[in-house]
Amino acid sequence: MEEIKTDYCIVGAGIAGIILASKLASSGKKILLLDQGPRYSEKDRSEFLQQGKMTLNDSADYNDNLHPDLKTETTSISNDKNSIEWKPLRLFGVGGTALHFNGTMMRPVKEDMRVRSLFGYGRDWPISYSELEPWLLKAEFEVGIAGNTDNPYASKRSGPFPMPAHEFSHYDKKYFKPALKKLNIVGHSYPRSVNSISYQNRSKCLACRACRFCPSGARYSPDRTHVPILDTLDNVEIISNVSLRKLETNSSSNEIIAAHIVRTNDKKPLLIKSKKFILALGGIETPRMLLLSADEKLHKNGLGNMGGQLGKGFSDHSIPSYHFNLGQHAGHRLGFPTMISDYFRVHSNRENQPTISIRSSPAMESSPVGTLSFSWLKNQDTFSFRQVREMIPNVVTLSAFSELEGTGTLDLDPVKKDSFGSPLARINMKMSDWDIAGYELLKEYGLKIADAMGAENISNLSPPGSGFGYHPSGTTAMGNNPDEGVCDNNLKIFGLDNLYVVSNSVFPHMGSNPPTLTIVALALRLAKHLESNSI
Amino acid sequence: MGKITRREFNLLTTKVIASITLYQFIGCTDEVKLISKGEENLKKLVIAFGPWPMIDRSIAEDFANRFIEVSHLSQNYLKKSVELVNNIANKLPKNAIALESLDLRKFSFEENEFILTLCKQLYNLVEVRYYISKMPQFGECQVDALFYTKSPS
């Protein structure tokens, strides 16, 4: 069997794995970075964009033509009335889901990390906001975040953003901000890893709005920034199209001795021996691999699962949305909203309801504007195309990231398997009454905002659970001991001396901010920890 | 609108179209000719219902051609709807483009349903919406990258 020996084996070449590798590389140690998906080129990006335009496929994406065997599925419990079907929206490939993410890079607020102590729900982080904050700032510089320090609801920062925020849109200035002001809410800049000015040899945003493929390179994507540097280093090797099958523990059950890998093109096995292993496989595959790697001793229920915490606390963001007919042209859209409000992240009675962050813009590209416009025009005898064409530029989207309590679970499906014969991850996603209260909050304030704008037509609020799939988190949580989590505050798996994890799966709790900035901060922090505990 | 992606929406709506028109398919007629004629008539509908005025007829035709090609690739849309498409097309003025309105009383219930579904699908597409909103083309970098900050008037 083919065998590779290395110092650090990082499984998963998404944003966490790539940034971790890039920081560890300076140590001179041998680093192996693996990913199940392919490497995409600039030519691929260009072709995906062109093909999407030619075929009128507004959802064209990187993994569209990837062999189905390589897109590991998940299953979801949905026949229970308390469970909501859940499907992931991740990508496979070097760059991971950050290949197509829209660059939202918000910080947690300090209370997000102490929700159990302060409000009685969820789990506390074993580290404080003040301990994480310097790493958040480093992360903002590492990937390049455009933002202003104009958010009155933000927790304390130790420095400014590396570049100014994108200028507010016409819609923000004329409609959204004044409407919020009527409700005594401040709209502020929306931190985003899309360059507002030239940064680290990448262009400023040229407003093409095809952010998924970002022809200008203004939107951060790890395969365009960190990977080209890694490619020049002799001590770093990146192998794509390989799939981790299992981590093997030693006879004492306290160390990983090998990673069993399969090359996806010919299914030939590959054995990796490494001094340290790091799983950076995202919110689903990271816990799944820990479950699949159970041994017959200490880790018989999955690696690090002595306290039964592996797979618990599954969470995501519910992203419900309204659409309004503003009654006048809302203005043009940059491709992403330029204003958001964190008001309800600090002005929310968290004992009884979750936090939400609210953003709005001229209708998103994914919005069914035609469907809405035709449904809002009710003339039984005449179909007025003219009125529809007049209405379409007036339609706006208002949506929220809504925090969840984290009552979902992830385990192994007893029946369904991946193309290599291993059980798939099975999600049981639930929304508690407390979670639903966040939905009700948007329902109430969405209508108030629409009213403050003078909206003529308002859609129904999309159902609870809308938008699931972007931010799976929480199932290999950090904790002080195995009864609280799966890894310690340095992301080392309990009971194993050389296995670490870094992804949103380590979040004990996720507030109403998308997780990516925190993931990068944790990757930078882990790199520092590993360097200071050198092999 | 949550979890329904645009692609899923398109599939969903075209399935609706297919289901309401299935019974109208004439089994003994030559299928190839029907599809071919249906293509021309569907193109006529897209051009008539779309937003492009006469001055942009070439844009309308290019769009309609791609729309038809994609419909062919994804499902039996034209094959099952061809009779209905032909009936509707025959009730439209010759060379109709960017119609202002349509008198629905001239169309049967099934034809009305078809028109509504087709139009919703059409006007959901980014390319159509951007055209209507006078937005620069999707995916093209802009010299004036701050266009979105300015009044659209």
Short mmCIF file of all heavy atoms in Angstrom, two decimals, chain A residues 246-257 289-306 310 412 493-496 499:
data_model
loop_
_atom_site.label_atom_id
_atom_site.label_comp_id
_atom_site.label_asym_id
_atom_site.label_seq_id
_atom_site.Cartn_x
_atom_site.Cartn_y
_atom_site.Cartn_z
N LYS A 246 -10.92 6.59 7.58
CA LYS A 246 -10.88 6.28 9.01
C LYS A 246 -9.55 6.73 9.59
O LYS A 246 -8.53 6.67 8.91
CB LYS A 246 -11.04 4.76 9.20
CG LYS A 246 -11.11 4.28 10.64
CD LYS A 246 -11.24 2.75 10.68
CE LYS A 246 -11.03 2.18 12.07
NZ LYS A 246 -12.15 2.35 12.97
N LEU A 247 -9.59 7.16 10.84
CA LEU A 247 -8.36 7.40 11.60
C LEU A 247 -8.15 6.20 12.50
O LEU A 247 -9.09 5.73 13.15
CB LEU A 247 -8.48 8.67 12.43
CG LEU A 247 -8.59 9.99 11.64
CD1 LEU A 247 -8.99 11.13 12.58
CD2 LEU A 247 -7.29 10.32 10.94
N GLU A 248 -6.91 5.73 12.55
CA GLU A 248 -6.62 4.51 13.33
C GLU A 248 -5.90 4.89 14.62
O GLU A 248 -4.89 5.61 14.58
CB GLU A 248 -5.75 3.57 12.49
CG GLU A 248 -5.41 2.26 13.20
CD GLU A 248 -4.47 1.40 12.37
OE1 GLU A 248 -4.28 1.67 11.16
OE2 GLU A 248 -3.91 0.46 12.95
N THR A 249 -6.42 4.40 15.74
CA THR A 249 -5.78 4.68 17.03
C THR A 249 -4.75 3.59 17.36
O THR A 249 -4.81 2.48 16.82
CB THR A 249 -6.81 4.75 18.17
OG1 THR A 249 -7.60 3.56 18.14
CG2 THR A 249 -7.72 5.95 18.03
N ASN A 250 -3.83 3.92 18.27
CA ASN A 250 -2.85 2.91 18.69
C ASN A 250 -3.47 1.96 19.73
O ASN A 250 -4.64 2.11 20.11
CB ASN A 250 -1.59 3.60 19.25
CG ASN A 250 -1.90 4.42 20.50
OD1 ASN A 250 -3.06 4.48 20.94
ND2 ASN A 250 -0.88 5.05 21.07
N SER A 251 -2.68 1.02 20.19
CA SER A 251 -3.22 0.00 21.08
C SER A 251 -3.63 0.58 22.44
O SER A 251 -4.47 0.02 23.14
CB SER A 251 -2.20 -1.12 21.28
OG SER A 251 -1.00 -0.57 21.79
N SER A 252 -3.03 1.71 22.80
CA SER A 252 -3.42 2.36 24.06
C SER A 252 -4.60 3.30 23.88
O SER A 252 -5.08 3.90 24.85
CB SER A 252 -2.24 3.16 24.63
OG SER A 252 -1.13 2.33 24.80
N SER A 253 -5.02 3.47 22.67
CA SER A 253 -6.18 4.31 22.37
C SER A 253 -5.96 5.77 22.77
O SER A 253 -6.91 6.47 23.09
CB SER A 253 -7.42 3.75 23.08
OG SER A 253 -8.60 4.23 22.50
N ASN A 254 -4.71 6.21 22.71
CA ASN A 254 -4.45 7.60 23.09
C ASN A 254 -3.72 8.39 22.01
O ASN A 254 -3.28 9.51 22.24
CB ASN A 254 -3.66 7.66 24.40
CG ASN A 254 -2.28 7.03 24.28
OD1 ASN A 254 -1.92 6.52 23.21
ND2 ASN A 254 -1.52 7.05 25.36
N GLU A 255 -3.60 7.81 20.83
CA GLU A 255 -2.89 8.49 19.75
C GLU A 255 -3.39 7.97 18.40
O GLU A 255 -3.75 6.80 18.29
CB GLU A 255 -1.38 8.19 19.88
CG GLU A 255 -0.51 9.25 19.26
CD GLU A 255 0.96 9.06 19.67
OE1 GLU A 255 1.58 8.15 19.11
OE2 GLU A 255 1.43 9.82 20.55
N ILE A 256 -3.39 8.83 17.43
CA ILE A 256 -3.70 8.39 16.06
C ILE A 256 -2.39 7.94 15.42
O ILE A 256 -1.40 8.68 15.44
CB ILE A 256 -4.32 9.55 15.23
CG1 ILE A 256 -5.60 10.06 15.89
CG2 ILE A 256 -4.58 9.09 13.79
CD1 ILE A 256 -6.73 9.06 15.98
N ILE A 257 -2.41 6.75 14.85
CA ILE A 257 -1.18 6.27 14.21
C ILE A 257 -1.25 6.35 12.69
O ILE A 257 -0.22 6.36 12.03
CB ILE A 257 -0.81 4.83 14.65
CG1 ILE A 257 -1.99 3.87 14.44
CG2 ILE A 257 -0.33 4.81 16.09
CD1 ILE A 257 -1.62 2.41 14.69
N MET A 289 -16.38 11.77 10.68
CA MET A 289 -15.13 11.02 10.69
C MET A 289 -14.75 10.58 12.10
O MET A 289 -14.17 9.51 12.28
CB MET A 289 -14.01 11.85 10.07
CG MET A 289 -14.05 11.85 8.56
SD MET A 289 -13.94 10.16 7.91
CE MET A 289 -14.92 10.33 6.41
N LEU A 290 -15.07 11.40 13.08
CA LEU A 290 -14.79 10.98 14.46
C LEU A 290 -15.67 9.78 14.84
O LEU A 290 -15.23 8.87 15.54
CB LEU A 290 -15.02 12.15 15.43
CG LEU A 290 -14.09 13.36 15.27
CD1 LEU A 290 -14.43 14.43 16.31
CD2 LEU A 290 -12.62 12.96 15.40
N LEU A 291 -16.89 9.80 14.36
CA LEU A 291 -17.78 8.65 14.63
C LEU A 291 -17.32 7.41 13.88
O LEU A 291 -17.32 6.29 14.42
CB LEU A 291 -19.22 9.00 14.23
CG LEU A 291 -19.95 9.98 15.15
CD1 LEU A 291 -21.19 10.56 14.47
CD2 LEU A 291 -20.34 9.31 16.47
N LEU A 292 -16.90 7.60 12.62
CA LEU A 292 -16.48 6.44 11.81
C LEU A 292 -15.16 5.84 12.30
O LEU A 292 -14.82 4.71 11.94
CB LEU A 292 -16.32 6.86 10.34
CG LEU A 292 -17.61 7.15 9.57
CD1 LEU A 292 -17.30 7.71 8.19
CD2 LEU A 292 -18.46 5.87 9.45
N SER A 293 -14.41 6.61 13.10
CA SER A 293 -13.10 6.14 13.53
C SER A 293 -13.12 5.50 14.93
O SER A 293 -12.07 5.35 15.57
CB SER A 293 -12.11 7.31 13.51
OG SER A 293 -12.02 7.85 12.22
N ALA A 294 -14.29 5.13 15.38
CA ALA A 294 -14.40 4.49 16.71
C ALA A 294 -13.46 3.29 16.80
O ALA A 294 -13.27 2.56 15.82
CB ALA A 294 -15.84 4.05 16.93
N ASP A 295 -12.84 3.11 17.97
CA ASP A 295 -12.00 1.92 18.17
C ASP A 295 -12.69 1.00 19.18
O ASP A 295 -13.88 1.17 19.49
CB ASP A 295 -10.58 2.31 18.58
CG ASP A 295 -10.53 3.06 19.91
OD1 ASP A 295 -11.51 2.97 20.69
OD2 ASP A 295 -9.51 3.72 20.19
N GLU A 296 -11.96 0.05 19.69
CA GLU A 296 -12.60 -0.91 20.61
C GLU A 296 -12.26 -0.63 22.06
O GLU A 296 -12.55 -1.45 22.94
CB GLU A 296 -12.20 -2.34 20.22
CG GLU A 296 -12.78 -2.72 18.85
CD GLU A 296 -12.31 -4.09 18.38
OE1 GLU A 296 -11.39 -4.64 19.02
OE2 GLU A 296 -12.86 -4.57 17.39
N LYS A 297 -11.65 0.51 22.30
CA LYS A 297 -11.25 0.80 23.68
C LYS A 297 -11.89 2.10 24.17
O LYS A 297 -13.11 2.21 24.21
CB LYS A 297 -9.73 0.83 23.76
CG LYS A 297 -9.11 -0.55 23.49
CD LYS A 297 -7.64 -0.52 23.69
CE LYS A 297 -7.09 -1.94 23.46
NZ LYS A 297 -5.63 -1.96 23.51
N LEU A 298 -11.02 3.07 24.48
CA LEU A 298 -11.53 4.32 25.05
C LEU A 298 -12.52 5.03 24.13
O LEU A 298 -13.48 5.66 24.58
CB LEU A 298 -10.33 5.25 25.35
CG LEU A 298 -10.66 6.61 25.98
CD1 LEU A 298 -11.28 6.44 27.36
CD2 LEU A 298 -9.38 7.46 26.08
N HIS A 299 -12.28 4.90 22.84
CA HIS A 299 -13.07 5.66 21.86
C HIS A 299 -14.08 4.77 21.13
O HIS A 299 -14.30 4.93 19.93
CB HIS A 299 -12.12 6.35 20.87
CG HIS A 299 -11.13 7.26 21.54
ND1 HIS A 299 -11.47 8.52 21.99
CD2 HIS A 299 -9.82 7.07 21.87
CE1 HIS A 299 -10.41 9.08 22.55
NE2 HIS A 299 -9.39 8.23 22.49
N LYS A 300 -14.68 3.88 21.87
CA LYS A 300 -15.58 2.91 21.22
C LYS A 300 -16.86 3.56 20.69
O LYS A 300 -17.53 2.99 19.82
CB LYS A 300 -15.94 1.78 22.19
CG LYS A 300 -16.68 2.25 23.44
CD LYS A 300 -16.86 1.11 24.40
CE LYS A 300 -17.53 1.64 25.68
NZ LYS A 300 -17.58 0.63 26.73
N ASN A 301 -17.20 4.73 21.16
CA ASN A 301 -18.39 5.44 20.66
C ASN A 301 -18.03 6.59 19.71
O ASN A 301 -18.86 7.44 19.42
CB ASN A 301 -19.21 5.99 21.82
CG ASN A 301 -19.79 4.88 22.68
OD1 ASN A 301 -20.26 3.88 22.14
ND2 ASN A 301 -19.71 5.03 23.99
N GLY A 302 -16.78 6.56 19.26
CA GLY A 302 -16.30 7.65 18.40
C GLY A 302 -15.17 8.38 19.11
O GLY A 302 -15.13 8.44 20.35
N LEU A 303 -14.28 8.96 18.32
CA LEU A 303 -13.12 9.63 18.92
C LEU A 303 -13.56 10.83 19.76
O LEU A 303 -14.34 11.66 19.30
CB LEU A 303 -12.15 10.06 17.83
CG LEU A 303 -11.66 8.96 16.88
CD1 LEU A 303 -10.64 9.51 15.88
CD2 LEU A 303 -11.05 7.78 17.66
N GLY A 304 -13.06 10.87 20.97
CA GLY A 304 -13.37 12.00 21.86
C GLY A 304 -14.77 11.98 22.43
O GLY A 304 -15.22 12.97 23.00
N ASN A 305 -15.43 10.85 22.30
CA ASN A 305 -16.86 10.81 22.68
C ASN A 305 -17.08 10.11 24.04
O ASN A 305 -18.13 9.53 24.27
CB ASN A 305 -17.65 10.10 21.59
CG ASN A 305 -19.15 10.35 21.70
OD1 ASN A 305 -19.58 11.30 22.34
ND2 ASN A 305 -19.93 9.49 21.07
N MET A 306 -16.12 10.22 24.91
CA MET A 306 -16.25 9.55 26.21
C MET A 306 -17.43 10.10 27.00
O MET A 306 -18.04 9.40 27.80
CB MET A 306 -14.96 9.70 27.04
CG MET A 306 -13.75 8.99 26.45
SD MET A 306 -13.00 9.94 25.11
CE MET A 306 -12.05 11.14 26.02
N LEU A 310 -20.27 13.89 21.27
CA LEU A 310 -20.05 13.92 19.83
C LEU A 310 -21.38 13.82 19.08
O LEU A 310 -22.12 12.85 19.25
CB LEU A 310 -19.11 12.77 19.43
CG LEU A 310 -18.75 12.61 17.95
CD1 LEU A 310 -18.14 13.87 17.37
CD2 LEU A 310 -17.78 11.43 17.77
N LEU A 412 -24.68 8.62 12.78
CA LEU A 412 -24.46 7.87 11.54
C LEU A 412 -25.76 7.23 11.10
O LEU A 412 -26.48 6.63 11.91
CB LEU A 412 -23.39 6.79 11.76
CG LEU A 412 -21.99 7.32 12.10
CD1 LEU A 412 -21.03 6.15 12.35
CD2 LEU A 412 -21.44 8.22 10.99
N ILE A 493 -8.57 16.82 20.55
CA ILE A 493 -9.63 15.87 20.90
C ILE A 493 -9.32 15.22 22.26
O ILE A 493 -8.19 14.78 22.50
CB ILE A 493 -9.75 14.79 19.81
CG1 ILE A 493 -10.24 15.42 18.49
CG2 ILE A 493 -10.68 13.65 20.23
CD1 ILE A 493 -11.67 15.89 18.49
N PHE A 494 -10.32 15.16 23.12
CA PHE A 494 -10.12 14.55 24.44
C PHE A 494 -9.69 13.09 24.29
O PHE A 494 -10.25 12.33 23.49
CB PHE A 494 -11.42 14.60 25.25
CG PHE A 494 -11.75 15.98 25.76
CD1 PHE A 494 -12.94 16.59 25.41
CD2 PHE A 494 -10.86 16.67 26.58
CE1 PHE A 494 -13.25 17.86 25.88
CE2 PHE A 494 -11.17 17.94 27.06
CZ PHE A 494 -12.36 18.54 26.70
N GLY A 495 -8.67 12.73 25.03
CA GLY A 495 -8.22 11.34 25.07
C GLY A 495 -7.23 10.98 23.99
O GLY A 495 -6.75 9.85 23.95
N LEU A 496 -6.93 11.90 23.11
CA LEU A 496 -5.97 11.63 22.03
C LEU A 496 -4.92 12.73 22.01
O LEU A 496 -5.25 13.92 22.01
CB LEU A 496 -6.68 11.56 20.67
CG LEU A 496 -7.54 10.30 20.49
CD1 LEU A 496 -8.57 10.50 19.38
CD2 LEU A 496 -6.66 9.08 20.19
N LEU A 499 -4.49 14.50 17.93
CA LEU A 499 -5.58 14.77 17.00
C LEU A 499 -6.29 16.08 17.38
O LEU A 499 -6.73 16.25 18.52
CB LEU A 499 -6.60 13.63 16.99
CG LEU A 499 -7.83 13.85 16.08
CD1 LEU A 499 -7.42 14.01 14.61
CD2 LEU A 499 -8.83 12.71 16.23
#
